[in-house]
């Protein structure tokens, strides 16, 4: 018997988008194998990738539409036509009564480019609503905002990930990639084998920090003060690349003045990082030509996230790094399609190709592709948290359609957001499984996943990759593109909504042509032939752009912008009632809200837990493995204590993959990116009174 042919495709989870091969085994099984030729992961996968088939054929999969019975309150199975008819009727009723913005759409950073594009078009053309945003606001939006301000373009990494191993020094600010994307950590290991140095900035000594030559553990929410302290010392030591600053940037004088106030002792008082550690960091930065500064969620998920990233970009610019081979600044995007998901129109202020929705020329271009009048396109809507917080209110949407997001677990201040979802007249959720958000819905639509469908994603390097269909979906399940087309037809929309992903991608290419994220020269054939194509790629004969900024930046004058970041600190500092910092993050075995990974038996369900330092544990009488209570101004969580010396004594950590962590987090928003402050809020911990037996 010959072995079944394997289909090369990509992992369903994070932004590394590791290549993998899928084979059918027997009648019901599928097997995941290595795809060594795909350059990003060279055949390596993490535990999540190796076990990704666990949901295929699982009894947890939804296979029929469900509608909530008005009398019993239970969800009952209905046919697809009945479900879509009901949703379309309710949309028309609500829009007739309250206007077009009465219906909102919420997307996800895991959706393929085709789905994200079609969802944006559906909202603007079929629904006529301005109320669309997505969970990418939770993840990368502060780095996007900062990169757009400084460089005129937002592509997570402006160079291939493999460049990391050729740097002399890499500074990771708020990234735990050894746990969140383990195959990427081999670049750090090779860097160190070559004699390169690794610096990690993180309040926790994570598995990534264990690899570091220098670990700085600042107080959560103070990374910007650290960046300003670095700028201060670079200037004081005469280490600023004055020629680069003069030729390739504007605005340094103002940053120089702002950084002058951040002398090392002040930085130590603010961040808790000792002055000798700050000097050691600056010595590493100035001792080698090829330095990379990479930020991730630890730097970004703050009410000052944009300013914090700008501070680290200022450091990179002062050293003359962006555009230099094997050097520069980059953001390590998190979600599977965090990059592409923010480029093609599911964001409240954007149209495909990273065009801005309030730009008349952008509106005219996209409207022509869609065959509608530019004036018919709605304007800018609310950002993700503001949209969720407005649901069911007098001036807010009365209906929400959710694709690819588990809001109940992933939104900040989740109890408040859950109340807003409950206040809706209509909640429609498209999902694979009965997520916590789907469980609240009036209508649940079962959709395809990962290897059951074809589509493109754009990984953390800006490489557009093709996730191929390798297996058939369960009977009764439809793709999101079919759901969108079915609703658009029922709403009487004349514009076409194709369901073939390759056709959608070709239309996306036309809509993005001439935009900042130009995909016009990319096709499925090219992606397959070339193992991915880096945008911008404006024409079929264009080679794509693996490296940006060699000659100029994407600003009108071609120069990068220094922006002065004003330090303010966490939105909710500790006080006598809540004397600790709470920070949140990920663990190796789980992905995002855990809707998929918590259902895979091979992944240990070892959470949630509360990580705290032995000194803190001693002070409150907490015992490793025993229950502990974390309380903030918004809620509380009871979970086993994990007592570790790797965290600051003034900080506790909770992973966010389980219900409860985000009941604690703060919904303070960054003024530019509108990203919530997931990474720090004031908290207290105590040993709870035992529950009665
Ligand atoms: Fe690779 Fe990320 Fe999938 Fe792990 S979760 S296999 S690192 S893409």
């Amino acid at each position: 018997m010959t072995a079944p042919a394997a289909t090369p495709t990509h992992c369903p989870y994070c932004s590394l988008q590791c290549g993998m091969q899928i084979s059918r085994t027997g009648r019901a099984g599928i097997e995941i194998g290595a795809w060594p030729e795909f350059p990003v992961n060279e055949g390596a996968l993490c535990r999540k990738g190796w076990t990704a088939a666990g949901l295929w054929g699982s009894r947890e999969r939804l296979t029929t539409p469900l509608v909530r019975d008005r009398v019993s309150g239970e969800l009952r199975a209905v046919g697809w036509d009945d479900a879509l008819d009901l949703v379309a009727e309710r949309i028309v009723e609500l829009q007739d009564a309250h206007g077009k913005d009465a219906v909102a759409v919420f997307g996800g950073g895991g959706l393929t480019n085709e789905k994200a594009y079609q969802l944006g078009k559906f909202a603007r053309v079929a629904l006529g609503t301005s109320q669309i945003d997505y969970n990418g606001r939770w993840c990368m939006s502060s780095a996007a905002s900062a990169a757009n301000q400084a460089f005129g373009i937002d592509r997570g990494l402006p160079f291939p990930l493999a460049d990391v191993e050729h740097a002399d020094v890499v500074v990771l600010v708020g990234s735990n990639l050894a746990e969140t994307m383990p195959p990427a950590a081999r670049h750090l290991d090779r860097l160190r084998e070559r004699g390169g140095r690794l610096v990690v900035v993180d309040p926790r000594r994570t598995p990534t920090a264990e690899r570091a030559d220098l670990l700085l553990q600042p107080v959560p929410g103070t990374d910007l003060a650290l960046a300003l302290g670095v700028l201060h010392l670079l200037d004081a030591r005469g280490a600023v690349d004055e020629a680069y600053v003069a030729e390739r940037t504007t605005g340094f004088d103002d940053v120089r003045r702002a950084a002058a106030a951040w002398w090392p002792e002040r930085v130590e008082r603010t961040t808790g990082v000792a002055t000798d550690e700050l000097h050691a960091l600056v010595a590493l930065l100035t001792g080698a030509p090829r330095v990379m500064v990479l930020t991730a969620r630890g730097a970004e998920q703050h009410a000052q996230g944009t300013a914090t990233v700008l501070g680290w970009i200022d450091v990179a610019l002062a050293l003359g790094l962006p555009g230099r081979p094997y050097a520069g600044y980059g953001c390590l995007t998190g979600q599977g399609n965090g990059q592409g998901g923010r480029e093609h129109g599911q964001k409240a202020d954007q149209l495909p190709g990273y065009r801005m929705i309030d730009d008349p020329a952008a509106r005219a271009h996209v409207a022509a592709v869609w065959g509608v009048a530019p004036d018919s396109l709605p304007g800018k809507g609310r950002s993700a948290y503001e949209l969720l917080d407005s649901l069911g209110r007098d001036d807010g949407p009365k209906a929400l359609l959710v694709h690819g997001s588990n809001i109940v677990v992933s939104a900040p201040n989740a109890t408040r957001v859950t109340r807003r979802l409950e206040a809706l007249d209509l909640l429609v959720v498209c999902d694979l499984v009965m997520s916590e958000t789907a469980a609240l819905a009036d209508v649940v639509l079962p959709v395809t996943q990962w290897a059951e469908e074809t589509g493109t994603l754009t990984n953390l390097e800006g490489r557009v990759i093709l996730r191929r269909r390798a297996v058939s979906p369960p009977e009764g399940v439809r793709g999101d593109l079919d759901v969108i087309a079915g609703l658009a037809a029922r709403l009487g929309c004349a514009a076409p909504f194709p369901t073939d992903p390759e056709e959608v991608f070709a239309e996306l290419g036309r809509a993005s042509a001439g935009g900042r994220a130009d995909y016009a020269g990319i096709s499925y054939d090219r992606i397959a032939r070339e193992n991915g194509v880096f945008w911008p790629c404006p024409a079929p004969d264009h080679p794509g752009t693996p490296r940006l900024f060699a000659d100029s930046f994407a600003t009108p004058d071609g120069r990068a912008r220094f922006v002065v970041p004003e330090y303010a600190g966490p939105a909710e500092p500790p006080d006598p009632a809540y004397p600790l910092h709470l920070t949140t993050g990920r663990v190796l075995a789980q992905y995002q809200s855990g809707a998929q990974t918590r259902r895979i038996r091979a992944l240990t369900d070892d959470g949630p837990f509360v990580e705290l330092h032995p000194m803190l544990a001693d002070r409150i009488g907490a015992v490793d493995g025993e229950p502990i209570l974390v309380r903030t101004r918004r809620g509380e969580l009871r979970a086993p204590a994990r007592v570790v010396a790797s965290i600051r004594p003034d900080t506790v950590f909770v992973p966010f993959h389980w219900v409860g962590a985000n009941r604690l987090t703060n919904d303070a928003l960054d003024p530019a990116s509108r990203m919530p402050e997931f990474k720090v809020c004031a908290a207290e911990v105590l040993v709870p009174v035992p529950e009665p037996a």
Side-chain angles (χ1 to χ4, degrees):
M1 198 169 118
T2 53
T7 305
T9 190
H10 296 270
C11 176
Y13 304 122
C14 85
S15 66
L16 204 55
Q17 280 303 293
C18 292
M20 56 170 58
Q21 308 235 33
I22 294 183
S23 321
R24 292 296 306 266
T25 56
R27 278 184 60 222
I30 63 175
E31 191 173 275
I32 290 177
W35 177 14
E37 295 78 21
F38 186 68
V40 177
N41 59 309
E42 299 170 334
L45 299 173
C46 76
R47 281 168 62 196
K48 297 186 289 290
W50 287 119
T51 58
L55 262 186
W56 194 77
S58 156
R59 287 160 61 180
E60 296 245 29
R61 284 295 297 279
L62 299 171
T63 55
T64 182
L66 302 167
V67 170
R68 193 167 300 281
D69 188 287
R70 289 190 179 189
V71 178
S72 70
E74 301 292 316
L75 286 167
R76 61 181 172 80
V78 299
W80 270 100
D81 282 343
D82 288 345
L84 293 177
D85 287 351
L86 175 78
V87 172
E89 279 166 23
R90 296 290 288 130
I91 286 173
V92 171
E93 278 171 24
L94 290 166
Q95 289 193 317
D96 284 350
H98 304 285
K100 294 291 188 190
D101 281 358
V103 178
V105 177
F106 201 86
L111 299 177
T112 62
N113 289 321
E114 291 80 356
K115 292 182 193 178
Y117 168 81
Q118 204 77 317
L119 207 53
K121 176 179 174 183
F122 173 74
R124 276 64 177 244
V125 176
L127 294 174
T129 182
S130 67
Q131 301 298 296
I132 175 169
D133 213 71
Y134 81 125
N135 66 17
R137 292 272 186 188
W138 308 155
C139 297
M140 291 78 55
S141 55
S142 289
S145 163
N148 279 320
Q149 289 182 51
F151 306 129
I153 196 168
D154 154 36
R155 201 182 86 185
L157 292 179
F159 38 69
L161 184 64
D163 280 11
V164 166
E165 60 195 65
H166 301 290
D168 299 312
V169 176
V170 171
V171 183
L172 285 178
V173 187
S175 165
N176 180 15
L177 62 72
E179 255 193 300
T180 56
M181 48 178 75
R186 75 193 195 288
H187 296 299
L188 302 179
D189 295 338
R190 290 177 189 162
L191 164 94
R192 298 196 65 231
E193 283 160 19
R194 284 184 52 257
R197 313 293 289 274
L198 175 64
V199 180
V200 171
V201 179
D202 197 312
R204 301 166 64 221
R205 196 174 66 241
T206 63
T208 311
E210 293 288 354
R211 291 169 155 84
D213 298 282
L214 177 63
L215 168 63
L216 307 182
Q217 289 186 272
V219 173
T222 64
D223 291 351
L224 173 54
L226 194 64
L228 287 162
V230 171
L231 282 163
H232 176 100
L233 284 182
L234 291 178
D235 201 24
R237 292 182 179 196
V240 172
D241 186 337
E242 300 287 355
Y244 178 97
V245 167
E247 285 166 26
R248 301 208 53 188
T249 73
T250 60
F252 182 60
D253 287 346
D254 292 338
V255 168
R256 174 173 265 158
R257 270 192 292 279
W262 286 93
W263 53 92
E265 292 74 16
R266 183 182 178 200
V267 173
E268 179 175 314
R269 279 200 305 279
T270 306
T271 66
V273 173
T275 56
D276 58 346
E277 292 176 329
L278 183 64
H279 282 287
L281 169 59
V282 171
L284 282 173
L285 294 177
T286 55
R290 294 178 301 199
V291 175
M292 278 185 187
V293 180
L294 305 176
T295 63
R297 308 301 82 72
E300 297 155 16
Q301 289 179 322
H302 294 280
Q304 283 220 288
T306 301
T308 302
V309 175
L310 282 167
W312 288 104
I313 290 176
D314 287 345
V315 168
L317 289 172
L319 288 164
L321 303 175
R324 187 185 292 177
Y326 307 118
Y329 163 81
C331 155
L332 296 162
T333 296
Q335 291 196 76
N337 198 26
Q339 182 69 51
R342 67 183 187 261
E343 295 166 356
H344 296 298
Q346 63 175 330
K347 205 163 168 229
D349 55 353
Q350 287 179 200
L351 290 171
Y354 225 123
R355 290 183 153 90
M356 303 314 291
I357 203 164
D358 52 6
D359 172 2
R363 295 169 67 86
H365 174 88
V366 174
V369 174
W370 289 348
V372 300
D375 288 352
S376 70
L377 299 178
K380 184 175 163 180
R382 295 177 173 95
S383 75
Y385 184 78
E386 290 159 303
L387 172 60
L388 296 177
D389 197 36
S390 72
L391 297 175
R393 298 192 191 279
D394 286 348
D395 63 345
K398 309 294 183 271
L400 182 70
L401 314 185
V402 180
H403 291 253
S405 189
N406 188 8
I407 296 165
V408 169
V409 179
S410 61
N413 199 357
T415 304
R416 179 181 170 115
V417 168
T418 303
R419 281 198 203 107
R420 298 320 321 150
L421 292 171
E422 289 166 347
L424 285 165
D425 291 320
L426 175 67
L427 175 61
V428 181
V429 175
C430 297
D431 213 325
L432 332 171
V433 292
M434 188 58 75
S435 70
E436 288 79 1
T437 308
L440 292 182
D442 301 292
V443 180
V444 182
L445 302 174
V447 289
T448 47
Q449 63 154 334
W450 169 55
E452 297 162 0
E453 57 186 13
T454 292
T456 62
L457 296 93
T458 306
N459 80 349
L460 77 173
E461 309 165 286
R463 183 196 304 254
V464 185
I465 54 103
L466 182 60
R467 202 191 264 172
R468 295 170 180 84
R469 174 175 160 141
V471 293
S472 303
E475 203 172 323
V477 167
R478 292 189 184 176
D480 294 79
L481 295 179
D482 296 287
V483 172
I484 291 168
L487 286 175
R490 283 168 173 79
L491 293 168
C493 180
F497 282 88
T499 55
D500 172 21
E502 191 165 5
E503 197 180 332
V504 177
F505 188 75
E507 184 182 308
L508 178 161
R510 294 194 296 281
S512 74
R516 275 187 272 180
D518 191 333
Y519 283 39
I522 307 177
S523 64
Y524 277 22
D525 281 349
R526 268 195 77 175
I527 298 172
R529 271 199 316 275
E530 300 173 25
N531 273 338
V533 179
F534 290 83
W535 70 261
C537 181
D541 59 356
H542 187 284
T545 315
R547 294 178 180 82
L548 299 170
F549 313 145
D551 303 314
S552 70
F553 296 95
T555 53
D557 62 5
R559 289 164 174 257
R561 305 270 184 270
F562 277 98
V563 181
V564 179
E566 301 284 350
Y567 178 78
E572 189 182 69
D575 58 22
Y578 298 94
L580 299 166
H581 301 279
L582 168 71
T583 190
T584 63
R586 289 169 54 180
V587 297
L588 172 60
Q590 300 294 329
Y591 177 67
Q592 303 300 79
S593 79
Q596 294 170 72
T597 47
R598 281 187 276 121
R599 290 176 162 84
I600 292 179
R601 252 178 269 133
L603 295 174
T604 325
D605 189 350
D606 62 350
F609 57 86
V610 180
E611 194 177 283
L612 73 166
H613 193 275
M615 282 161 52
L616 176 58
D618 280 353
R619 203 168 76 226
I620 65 168
V623 176
D624 189 55
E626 296 293 319
I628 190 171
L629 192 73
V630 187
R631 189 179 283 157
T632 72
R633 287 187 170 81
R634 291 154 294 281
E636 59 184 41
L637 171 74
R638 183 189 290 245
R642 193 171 280 186
V643 181
V644 293
S646 52
I647 191 168
R648 292 179 56 90
D650 59 4
T651 301
V652 293
F653 167 83
V654 175
F656 61 62
H657 312 287
W658 291 269
V659 176
N662 276 316
R663 290 180 188 150
L664 305 170
T665 51
N666 192 356
D667 52 12
L669 301 181
D670 180 280
S673 68
R674 316 308 286 163
M675 179 184 252
E677 185 149 86
F678 288 102
K679 282 293 180 200
V680 60
C681 66
E684 68 163 344
V685 290
L686 52 145
V687 176
V689 177
E691 287 173 342

